[in-house]
Amino acid sequence: MTSKLEQLDAALRSTLGPRILALDAALGELTLDVAPQHYRETCLALRDDPSLHFEQLIDLCAVDYAHYGNTLREEEGRFVVVLHLLSLQHNWRLRLRARCPQDDLPLVPSITDVWNAANWFEREAFDLYGVVFDGHPDLRRILTDYGFIGHPFRKDFPLSGTVEMRYDPDNKRVIYQPVTIEPREITPRVIREPGYGGLGDVPRTTQGH
């Protein structure tokens, strides 16, 4: 680690102590993992402790780890809330992760009163992944339609969706109906011209589609 990361690593360990589940350095940044029950108090410490002073929330999102690496992760919760923080005073960054304890109702405390920027980020994570942020002042969908069913960024959500909408001339309004597109697997058509990629006189070939 660079001296800057070493300073941040030492400050985190000194301030958070046993609340740290893991603290790893990779690609020039530190990633801090905490248990969900320590998520909110950790955020407050990261913002308020003068040795850390992460006054800015850059991003907040959710991640679905189901079938991560093509294997089903049953030993841990599948939904993780990820924050990216910036300290302007110390000029360092941090990635904070907290795994939601339940898959059927992924829930962590809201941190909108810690960083105001979390408001719409948390609504987006709720909309797309179904993560519930307890205490959020207005937790409702932000990107999908109000009548949308499900959470489209979950790995088990069908690619074609579950419903489609169209204008009904008889009712003179937009209506929802079950998806009419049949699932299909498409193999792209590949055409290689002679001399493609410096391979010489390669015949023109086509793969099935």
Side-chain angles (χ1 to χ4, degrees), residues 11 15 44-55 87 89-90 92:
T15 302
L44 287 168
L46 292 173
R47 184 195 66 180
D48 296 338
D49 191 282
S51 67
L52 299 171
H53 206 273
F54 286 99
E55 70 269 42
S87 171
Q89 178 173 317
H90 298 295
W92 52 36

Side-chain angles (χ1 to χ4, degrees), residues 29-77:
E29 286 192 10
L30 289 177
T31 298
L32 168 66
D33 289 281
V34 298
Q37 62 267 29
H38 299 311
Y39 170 67
R40 179 177 169 78
E41 62 182 282
T42 297
C43 290
L44 287 168
L46 292 173
R47 184 195 66 180
D48 296 338
D49 191 282
S51 67
L52 299 171
H53 206 273
F54 286 99
E55 70 269 42
Q56 185 171 345
L57 171 68
I58 300 175
D59 188 26
L60 181 153
C61 67
V63 179
D64 182 358
Y65 278 100
H67 300 282
Y68 180 70
N70 295 323
T71 60
L72 184 62
R73 299 169 62 94
E74 296 180 347
E75 74 281 2
E76 299 174 327

